[in-house]
Every structure is written in C-alpha cells, then in structure tokens.
Amino acid sequence: MSLVNLDFAEELKEYSEDTALECFNCGTCAAICPLVHDNFPRRMIRYVQIGARQKILENSDELWRCLHCGLCTHTCPREADPGEIILGLKRFVVANFRRS
Amino acid sequence: MFNPKDIIETLANNVQQTASPFGIPKFMVNTWFKHASLPKKGEYLLFTGLMYQFTPYIEKSTQYLEKYEGTRMAGLLKYARHIPSYISGIGLAMITSGKEKKNAGQTLKNICSLLKKSKVDFAYRPDLDNYSGILLYDMGDQKGFVAHAKKVAQKLQKAGIKKIITVDPHTAYALKELFPKYTGINFEVKSYFELLNLKSKDCGLEVTIHDPCFFGRYLKLSDVPRKVLTNLGISASDIRNQGEFTSCCGGPAESISPSLSNEIMEKRAKELEEPGKPIIAYCPICLGNLKKSGANVEDLSTLLVRHI
C-alpha cells in the first residue's frame, strides 16, 4: 500500500520551483524523452502531484537515468518544466539519503 | 546501472578535496598552456573550466565503469568515497594515455589560434581557471555545487574579472545562468565562437553539426557556429533533430550507466551519419562520446583551424 503525503509539494519547494500542478499529464514529455522508458518523466510528475513521496524514494534510481537534455521542458505545452522537476527530485533524494 | 548514491558521493568528495570530479590535482590536468605563450592581461579572460582537459580521464574511467556495470564488482563502488581523492585521482592520471591528454590540449591551443586570428584581446590565467562544478549540479548535489561555485566565482571576482570566454557548453551554462543565480556574482560570458571573425575562400565543404543540448536548447546559440562556417564557405547539412530540437549524445549518463549512454549515443550517431558528411561537435563530452560510436567526428575548432 502506498501512502499519500499531502505536505509533499511544500517539502519540495526547498528543492525546486513548484510547477508540477501545471502538468495535465498529456504525456508529451514521456513521448519526446530519449530514454523512452516506462512513462518517464510523466509518472514521476504524477507522483509529485498526488504526494506519493514514498513511491518517489522507492523508484529514485530512475531519476538519474535523466540526461538533463531539456527536450521535455522545451516541448511541454503547459510550461510545467518537467526537466527542472526531475532535477528538484534528485536534490530531494540526495538530501534524503544524506539525512538518513 | 550503478547506485547513484555511490557515484554522487564519490564525485562530491573528489570536488570537495581536489576541486576536480576525478580527484586529479589541477597541476596534472591543466598543462596545455605551458608552451602556448599566452598573455596574462586582456579584455576577456579565457576560462576553459577544464572540461576539454578532463576528456581523456572521462574516457578511461568510463571504460572501467563499462566493464563492471551489472556485475558483482559494481557494489564495491560504495567504498570508493573512502579512498582519499588525490590517491585515486593520481592513479587514474597514471593509467590514462599521454597521447589523449595531448590531443585534449591541442583543441584549446586551436581555440587560442582562432581567437588571435579574430583579433580578440584575451588573457589566460591558469590560477583562475577552475572546474565549474556543473556535474554536481546535474547530479542533484545542490549544496556541493553552490559551495564549489562560490569559491570559483569569488576568486574570479577578487581578481577583477568582468568578461569571460568559455569553450564548452557546460561551463558556459554554469557561468552564464547558474553562477548569477546561486552565487550572486555576474560575469559577461561569451562562448569562443561568438567572438570569431574569420574569412576564407569557399572550400565547398559540407558538414553535419551535432548541437550539444546546452548550446542548442538551453543557451540557444546553435546559429552562431553555422554563421562562422558560412564565412569560411562551409555549409551545414540539415538533419531532423538540430538546433533547439537537438538530440542528446548520451554523455550525461556515462557515469551512472555506460550501457544506457551507449544506447542513446548509437541512436544519435545514426541520425548524424545519415547525410554522409563529416560530423562536427562543439562540446568535449559529445565529441568523446560520438568518437566512441566510431563516427567520423571532430571538434569545431579543429575544422576551423584547418581552414583559416
């Protein structure tokens, strides 16, 4: 069972701009991403939106597959900045493993 | 894929202890300028960020990572951060080919020749030329990046530097966009090709340009090298993914997953080889990665120097 953390968006503000709620899950980012991997980065952004903090930590290795190439951000129709959200999640995970 | 934590902590420790992500002391990495007789004063400061100088070491360390990815040995990487950085760094420096180190320096000498030919008033100060810390930023070690960037920027500020020439897209992005945001220190930053003023007879050559993500998309500078080439009578073939829509060479994944990096690189190399023309890269990471694919690729500065 996965728990939802309603304060997660607040927690993430320390690591990146709060743009995840701009996303309407169209999937352009996952379609254009050169990784073509398991709905990346769309799935991660969805996790942020619903506060699935634990899911992000469980799947955190995936974040470092990101090439930071910026194609997702460049093509996002909602200017949700998926690339920066992924970078912010990397910072969140790094801070988390340094704390533990 | 390696455990990101092992890679990040190793890189972070190296930068903290030696100011280099590979732990190699600067006096061993940055030697290209020694016989180049470059001025110490000028309107601009040439700031290489050491990225071209790192390429032979990146290639060597990636060979090892490639060998151990997905094996039991990969788990041993977690102990790497406990080895003093300068010991592992000097070890890496000793097993890296001298020929490759010399080639990396030659690119920088070529860039200096191009700047001189274009009558750009620039200086080089090896004491001020440091790694920007960009890899820490990309990896999500924000604290490590900011701490390192502040040291680099403050040193430049203290020396009264206002105008900087960079030679690679990662350092250009760091100095232009990230340093002002995270260190509060601003410089006027130009990439070397923005300052070139070269003319030559039409040589009828056509090349395919691979735009690096940071120059093509983030900094939107991909038109500039095309104009420089046009002035030398060199045309660039059109490919589907170029300029702002360029495709990644796979380089950024090479420390975490060399196999993923190779997969992306093969795809990009195929796109670039389609027109059947020589390929030109203008980023040391892209250049190294595309070379690995066996593509006929060279650095922009190497091509330019041959035609002036």
Side-chain angles (χ1 to χ4, degrees):
Chain A
M1 190 175 65
S2 234
L3 290 178
V4 165
N5 181 338
L6 297 177
D7 298 325
F8 188 47
E10 205 53 44
E11 188 182 352
L12 277 185
K13 277 184 185 165
E14 192 186 331
Y15 306 103
S16 66
E17 299 275 327
D18 187 11
T19 54
L21 285 178
E22 297 298 325
C23 166
F24 56 16
N25 265 273
C26 67
T28 304
C29 54
I32 202 151
C33 176
L35 299 176
V36 201
H37 173 74
D38 205 10
N39 257 305
F40 185 87
R42 181 193 194 192
R43 194 159 57 99
M44 283 289 174
I45 296 165
R46 190 70 183 139
Y47 286 156
V48 174
Q49 289 179 325
I50 62 171
R53 186 181 189 275
Q54 201 50 40
K55 276 279 180 195
I56 288 170
L57 290 172
E58 280 166 15
N59 296 285
S60 64
D61 282 6
E62 248 182 59
L63 298 167
W64 278 274
R65 290 171 60 92
C66 172
L67 302 157
H68 198 206
C69 73
L71 261 177
C72 54
T73 290
H74 200 63
T75 53
C76 175
R78 296 280 298 162
E79 296 182 4
D81 210 345
E84 279 303 302
I85 295 174
I86 296 301
L87 191 54
L89 288 177
K90 286 182 186 173
R91 293 175 189 145
F92 158 71
V93 174
V94 169
N96 212 70
F97 70 56
R98 283 187 176 162
R99 263 198 307 267
S100 59
Chain B
M1 184 174 185
F2 289 95
N3 182 344
K5 183 181 174 181
D6 299 338
I7 299 279
I8 294 163
E9 295 301 34
T10 305
L11 294 172
N13 276 351
N14 287 346
V15 171
Q16 206 176 19
Q17 291 175 27
T18 64
S20 147
F22 304 98
I24 310 168
K26 197 168 95 175
F27 74 88
M28 292 180 85
V29 177
N30 197 29
T31 55
W32 67 279
F33 60 91
K34 286 187 177 161
H35 304 289
S37 54
L38 297 168
K40 296 259 181 236
K41 279 184 181 172
E43 185 188 355
Y44 286 94
L45 178 81
L46 176 66
F47 185 92
T48 73
L50 311 185
M51 292 293 282
Y52 273 97
Q53 296 90 316
F54 284 146
T55 48
Y57 309 104
I58 295 175
E59 197 188 326
K60 185 47 85 180
S61 51
T62 309
Q63 279 171 11
Y64 281 96
L65 290 171
E66 229 170 316
K67 200 170 156 187
Y68 298 121
E69 185 181 13
T71 71
R72 279 187 191 177
M73 296 288 277
L76 297 177
L77 198 64
K78 63 175 171 248
Y79 302 111
R81 63 178 179 270
H82 302 298
I83 303 170
S85 298
Y86 63 90
I87 293 182
S88 54
I90 289 172
L92 177 62
M94 285 170 75
I95 57 171
T96 302
S97 135
K99 192 181 156 205
E100 292 301 320
K101 291 178 205 169
K102 208 175 159 196
N103 285 348
Q106 188 54 49
T107 309
L108 299 168
K109 287 181 192 165
N110 290 345
I111 291 172
C112 287
S113 304
L114 295 167
L115 290 169
K116 281 180 186 168
K117 185 86 182 163
S118 302
K119 300 198 170 19
V120 179
D121 179 19
F122 72 99
Y124 184 67
R125 295 256 315 259
D127 57 319
L128 297 177
D129 193 7
N130 290 298
Y131 174 57
S132 68
I134 189 71
L135 198 51
L136 299 183
Y137 177 81
D138 290 342
M139 288 287 189
D141 179 9
Q142 186 69 1
K143 268 192 184 164
F145 167 71
V146 174
H148 180 77
K150 277 184 178 163
K151 281 185 215 163
V152 176
Q154 281 164 359
K155 207 171 174 188
L156 289 165
Q157 192 183 41
K158 219 173 159 186
I161 304 301
K162 301 237 174 347
K163 293 180 170 187
I164 286 176
I165 301 173
T166 57
V167 296
D168 77 272
H170 299 272
T171 308
Y173 183 70
L175 266 66
K176 220 170 181 171
E177 305 285 332
L178 303 178
F179 276 29
K181 194 171 171 185
Y182 297 110
T183 72
I185 300 173
N186 286 275
F187 303 103
E188 185 187 321
V189 181
K190 293 274 183 204
S191 292
Y192 80 91
F193 48 80
E194 290 182 272
L195 297 166
L196 297 184
N197 183 14
L198 308 167
K199 285 266 184 250
S200 175
K201 280 189 287 181
D202 192 338
C203 62
L205 183 68
E206 189 179 330
V207 295
T208 301
I209 298 180
H210 166 69
D211 297 301
C213 299
F214 278 92
F215 275 147
R217 206 159 18 251
Y218 286 81
L219 296 170
K220 298 187 178 17
L221 286 174
S222 53
D223 286 349
V224 185
R226 284 168 175 79
K227 280 180 194 155
V228 174
L229 290 175
T230 305
N231 286 341
L232 295 176
I234 302 170
S235 61
S237 39
D238 268 330
I239 53 167
R240 189 178 160 214
N241 299 321
Q242 61 182 1
E244 285 184 38
F245 288 91
T246 186
S247 288
C248 178
C249 72
E254 62 192 349
S255 61
I256 293 285
S257 174
S259 60
L260 173 66
S261 171
N262 287 344
E263 206 181 292
I264 307 285
M265 170 256 284
E266 296 290 347
K267 270 192 222 166
R268 181 54 174 165
K270 264 190 196 160
E271 288 176 3
L272 293 165
E273 278 167 343
E274 215 163 86
K277 303 292 174 194
I279 300 163
I280 299 302
Y282 50 119
C283 162
I285 307 292
C286 300
L287 180 70
N289 222 31
L290 291 169
K291 267 186 187 167
K292 262 201 313 190
S293 75
N296 174 19
V297 58
E298 67 179 351
D299 192 78
L300 174 70
S301 62
T302 315
L303 171 76
L304 293 176
V305 133
R306 255 203 328 270
H307 287 88
I308 54 169

